[in-house]
Every structure is written in C-alpha cells, then in structure tokens.
Amino acid sequence: ARAFQQTNHSTLAAAAVKMMQRFALGRGLNFHIKHDKARDVWEEFWDANSMKNKIRMQARDLTWQGEIMWRIHEPKKGYMQARPIDPSTCWEIITDPVDPDRIYFFHFQWPSPYQMWVAGKIPVSKYVIQQVPPTNVQHLKINCSSQEKRGRSDLFPGFPWIKRHDDFYNGATVKAIIEANLVNIITVKGDDSDVQRIRNDPNLTILPAPGSTWVQNEMVDLKPTSASISSARGATGIGDELLGRFAMSVNLPAEYFNGSSGGAARATALVRTDPAVKAMEDRQQILREDL
C-alpha cells in the first residue's frame, strides 16, 4: 500500500518506476518464430490476451510491487488465457514448511469493486475466495532471498529518503512563500486611542492594491515590508544529497532525476550510467524469463 501511494503521489518514485519500465522494454518486444504453426498459435494467444499492453503494465507493476502474478486459465476449447492478478489479494502462499519452492496452492481473497450501473445477471459486487494450484499461477518475485515467498518493491529502501526529500522541499517552498508575501505596517503617531481609531476606520482597513495610490498625512505612515529568513542555517546542497540517496537506492544516476551533476569530469560521465545499464539489463532478463 505504501509503495502504491508513493508511486502515484511522489515525483521521485513515479519517475523511477517509469524509467525502469521504459528503459527495460524500450520500443517493445519482438518474437522470431520459424515454425509457421507455432507462430500462428503464439500470435493468436498474444493478440487475444492483449499481451502487448499487459506486458508494459506488468513491467511497471513489477518495479513498485516487487512481484507479479499471472493467473493461467486453460479452457477446454480455444486459446489459453493469461490474466494478471493483484498480488495484494494473495493472502498466503502455502508451501512445504521446509521447502518454500514446493508450493501447494495460492490463497486469494478480496472484495471486488462495487458497480453502480448493472443490468440483468451482472452482479453489483462479489467477495472472492480462491485457492489456486501452482500450475495455474505464474509468480515472479524480486528483491528477496531464496528462502522468502514474496518479493519487495524496488522503492522499499528509498522510502525514508523520499519522505526527507519531500519534507525538505516543503519547508523550502513554505519559506519562499513567506518571504514573497508583503506585510503592510501602519505607524500611527499618537497614543492607543489614536491606534484604535485608525484600526476601526473602514477607509483604512482596505489597503491599496499594488500600483495604486495611498494618501497619508504626517500622523500615519504606511510601509510595506517582507520577511527575510536567513538561509545560512544548515548545509547547502542538501536537496541534491537527498535526491542522490534515493537515486542510489534504485540504482539510477541522480542526473536522471534532474539532479546536479556536481561538475563531474567527462571520463566520470562515461561510466556514471554503468550501474543503471546493468539494472536495466537485469530487469530485461527477468521479464524475458517470465515470458
């Protein structure tokens, strides 16, 4: 749930997920099948299941979910059906207590979305409980050990740095807004009664708009002013440092997130993207094996 929230609300997480998806898949997938009948069967399956769109969505989901699940349906007639299923609806993977690779079944349980406009025999909603054998589930997991049943999101190590990055720039933005706002100070020569009279005067409670005229005498002085908050507190460049920490957690260069390069030399720039390239190649290999 936290990875879903960050992916759809955090600019850093959204950018990382999109880059991992787009760099891994590039312009799409191509299959070269020499056998005519085998190619016909594959193309029928590919088109009937809208696999072109599903593969792109699954490449995106794998990054933020840390795992993807395909539900395999084998009807008596027609082509095989492959449908992606939300891993969060899988409450447990039942395995041999000693051997987690020996799976007995997947337990799925979830309420379906509520539909307002239905007709005929279409149900408004359903509560689904299914126990599916491993032969009908294709499960791919990443960022976990060999003894773990479930995967982890690529964003998991970067969660605290996303929060610190957002908090830092929220504070910097509030500071800039406060400094940009003008405050009008009215100085009145007199005692408290004169101050109260000026404050209660309706003609003086509406201050002039920018660029307009303000008429005053020697007893009243209007002075617009703005806040000036010192920026010398704390280290400079902390925003780029926080961004760099998050970029490190997802194995991508900080430049991909519009971060400062820090004046790196040309020789350094040539090898700066090597870890990212290896990450993309690894993700390509994982998706290739899944297919």
Side-chain angles (χ1 to χ4, degrees), residues 10-11 20 33 55 84 87 95 102-103 109 117 149 210 214 256 271 282 285-286:
S10 167
T11 54
M20 290 298 293
I33 303 174
I55 287 297
T95 68
R102 187 179 181 183
I103 301 174
Q109 186 170 330
W117 311 108
K149 300 180 183 180
W214 168 262
Y256 286 11
V271 298
D282 179 70
Q285 183 64 27
I286 290 174

Side-chain angles (χ1 to χ4, degrees), residues 2-257:
R2 189 175 178 186
F4 178 84
Q5 191 274 339
Q6 294 286 359
T7 301
N8 292 280
H9 293 275
S10 167
T11 54
L12 292 181
V17 170
K18 291 176 182 177
M19 281 187 280
M20 290 298 293
Q21 174 199 12
R22 293 168 180 172
F23 281 131
L25 291 181
R27 297 179 180 178
L29 302 176
N30 292 314
F31 298 93
H32 303 282
I33 303 174
K34 295 182 179 180
H35 195 282
D36 294 338
K37 291 185 178 180
R39 183 171 60 251
D40 293 341
V41 171
W42 175 259
E43 289 177 352
E44 180 188 21
F45 160 78
W46 188 263
D47 295 336
N49 286 276
S50 300
M51 292 297 291
K52 181 178 180 181
N53 294 328
K54 284 187 173 66
I55 287 297
R56 288 198 172 276
M57 289 187 287
Q58 290 290 275
R60 177 183 184 272
D61 292 343
L62 178 61
T63 298
W64 72 265
Q65 290 180 165
E67 57 184 350
I68 54 177
M69 291 183 177
W70 292 92
R71 176 72 186 275
I72 308 301
H73 300 272
E74 298 181 6
K76 295 180 180 179
K77 295 182 180 181
Y79 51 82
M80 184 183 73
Q81 296 178 356
R83 299 287 188 268
I85 189 168
D86 186 356
S88 67
T89 64
C90 181
W91 285 26
E92 191 172 2
I93 302 175
I94 312 302
T95 68
D96 186 290
V98 180
D99 184 6
D101 290 334
R102 187 179 181 183
I103 301 174
Y104 295 123
F105 60 87
F106 294 78
H107 181 88
F108 294 96
Q109 186 170 330
W110 78 94
S112 67
Y114 185 89
Q115 302 181 118
M116 295 181 61
W117 311 108
V118 297
K121 296 182 180 180
I122 302 175
V124 174
S125 181
K126 281 186 176 181
Y127 193 87
V128 181
I129 300 177
Q130 294 178 340
Q131 292 181 343
V132 184
T135 52
N136 291 78
V137 176
Q138 175 88 349
H139 182 211
L140 174 62
K141 57 186 178 181
I142 59 174
N143 302 324
C144 60
S145 68
S146 59
Q147 296 297 309
E148 292 181 283
K149 300 180 183 180
R150 311 300 296 266
R152 290 186 183 85
S153 170
D154 285 329
L155 304 176
F156 190 80
F159 282 155
W161 300 108
I162 291 176
K163 184 179 186 305
R164 293 185 179 101
H165 184 271
D166 291 346
D167 290 345
F168 174 79
Y169 279 104
N170 284 339
T173 303
V174 170
K175 172 179 175 291
I177 292 174
I178 292 175
E179 291 179 336
N181 286 330
L182 290 176
V183 177
N184 292 300
I185 300 176
I186 300 178
T187 303
V188 180
K189 293 183 180 180
D191 53 19
D192 290 341
S193 61
D194 295 320
V195 174
Q196 290 300 326
R197 182 177 59 81
I198 296 296
R199 180 175 293 177
N200 296 329
D201 189 341
N203 295 322
L204 298 176
T205 55
I206 301 177
L207 295 175
S212 59
T213 302
W214 168 262
V215 181
Q216 64 184 29
N217 57 24
E218 295 180 353
M219 303 301 294
V220 179
D221 181 23
L222 176 65
K223 182 181 179 181
T225 186
S226 61
S228 179
I229 304 175
S230 173
S231 60
R233 299 176 182 175
T236 59
I238 191 171
D240 282 339
E241 293 177 9
L242 292 173
L243 188 148
R245 285 285 182 174
F246 171 77
M248 186 190 306
S249 71
V250 291
N251 227 21
L252 294 173
E255 288 83 358
Y256 286 11
F257 299 91

Side-chain angles (χ1 to χ4, degrees), residues 251-253 256 273-284:
N251 227 21
L252 294 173
Y256 286 11
T273 58
D274 279 358
V277 172
K278 299 303 180 184
M280 303 306 173
E281 291 177 347
D282 179 70
R283 187 55 47 87
Q284 288 175 341

